Amino acid sequence: QALIEKYQKRKDLGRLDPRYAAMIEAMDQSLGRILDEIDRLKLSDNTLVIFTSDNGAFGGVADLAPLRAAKGFLYEGGIRVPLIVRWPGVVPVGAVSDEPVISMDFFPTILDAANLKADEKVPVDGQSLMPLLRRTEKLKRTAIYFHYPNYAFHGGNRLGSAIRDGNYKLLERFDDGSLELYDLKNDIGEKNNVASAKPDLAAALRKKLKTWRTETDAAMPTPRQ
């Protein structure tokens, strides 16, 4: 309650709800206590800490500008999330990488960090991020994929899939087969759909997206009778 009252007095929050701001600071304090304890136990050099989120912020309580939309959408406001890694002696303090990664990468990364091998019977969808963390090389892939064949809790999203390949991101809608193509380097807010201006690129990315869905046996929505 004290934190809520603190942020209720602030006049510079924009669209950020005081309750949401209070939750963020409370979480930050809790994480700080965990990291302090790891330091106190002298385990920091042998502890990989990954901070991330499963999706973008809840719409209506947070200002995600310039990103478009929020939780439950395939736009960047719904899928672009924080990723902070702490591992003293391995990850340099203040180092930043612009390489797009995805949550499926955490499993092989943690195995790699612990010098463990995955069960050969278990498919591994991601790639180890250790080359990025050690700053030795880039990942051996060009694209990451997102699949949303169901309605979100708010019911406002359109079912579809997305592929991020380099600076471009393609969304394919399942209701009408339409495509949206955005140049994220120059249009992070996804305001300018260039699918019609770059039909060859849109078609190539759509083909890669369809191939990925087939290879992963991705669940698809069932048309309503």
Side-chain angles (χ1 to χ4, degrees):
Q1 184 60 36
L3 288 176
I4 294 176
E5 293 173 358
K6 169 185 174 180
Y7 285 103
Q8 284 176 335
K9 297 175 183 177
R10 292 273 295 270
K11 304 299 181 183
D12 60 339
L13 296 182
R15 291 183 295 169
L16 185 62
D17 190 298
R19 297 168 298 174
Y20 200 72
M23 289 172 62
I24 292 172
E25 181 168 341
M27 177 181 65
D28 190 49
Q29 291 174 353
S30 298
L31 291 172
R33 287 195 292 269
I34 293 172
L35 297 180
D36 287 345
E37 183 66 8
I38 292 174
D39 292 341
R40 188 188 70 80
L41 296 172
K42 302 186 185 308
L43 296 173
S44 300
D45 290 348
N46 199 34
T47 303
L48 168 63
V49 177
I50 301 173
F51 176 86
T52 188
S53 173
D54 62 336
N55 48 244
F58 190 82
V61 300
D63 189 348
L64 292 168
L67 304 183
R68 181 175 177 180
K71 175 180 179 179
F73 292 91
L74 282 170
Y75 294 115
E76 291 298 282
I79 62 176
R80 180 180 288 250
V81 298
L83 174 55
I84 303 173
V85 174
R86 191 187 84 151
W87 195 358
V90 178
V91 180
V93 175
V96 177
S97 173
D98 294 327
E99 184 88 10
V101 300
I102 196 164
S103 58
M104 280 81 82
D105 296 331
F106 297 147
F107 175 54
T109 299
I110 293 169
L111 289 179
D112 202 356
N115 293 317
L116 297 174
K117 293 191 178 296
D119 186 336
E120 295 181 355
K121 299 177 182 178
V122 179
V124 177
D125 294 322
Q127 290 190 17
S128 171
L129 302 179
M130 290 303 295
L132 292 182
L133 300 183
R134 295 187 184 278
R135 302 172 73 82
T136 55
E137 59 181 316
K138 291 189 175 183
L139 301 182
K140 295 179 175 62
R141 69 175 177 213
T142 61
I144 55 177
Y145 301 86
F146 306 86
H147 187 56
Y148 213 153
N150 56 285
Y151 286 104
F153 63 98
H154 49 63
N157 62 305
R158 294 174 64 189
L159 311 189
S161 294
I163 174 175
R164 165 76 186 268
D165 194 336
N167 293 322
Y168 284 92
K169 175 182 168 187
L170 180 86
L171 284 75
E172 180 182 8
R173 305 301 188 178
F174 295 152
D175 52 3
D176 60 4
S178 61
L179 302 177
E180 297 176 38
L181 179 64
Y182 299 102
D183 176 2
L184 296 182
K185 182 177 180 180
N186 299 302
D187 180 24
I188 192 63
E190 297 171 291
K191 297 178 180 179
N192 184 26
N193 180 6
V194 297
S196 59
K198 296 180 179 292
D200 292 343
L201 177 58
L205 292 179
R206 185 180 199 173
K207 183 178 180 180
K208 290 181 70 171
L209 186 55
K210 183 177 181 179
T211 298
W212 173 80
R213 287 199 303 261
T214 300
E215 291 176 347
T216 58
D217 194 23
M220 296 295 288
T222 302
R224 192 175 287 171
Q225 299 297 326

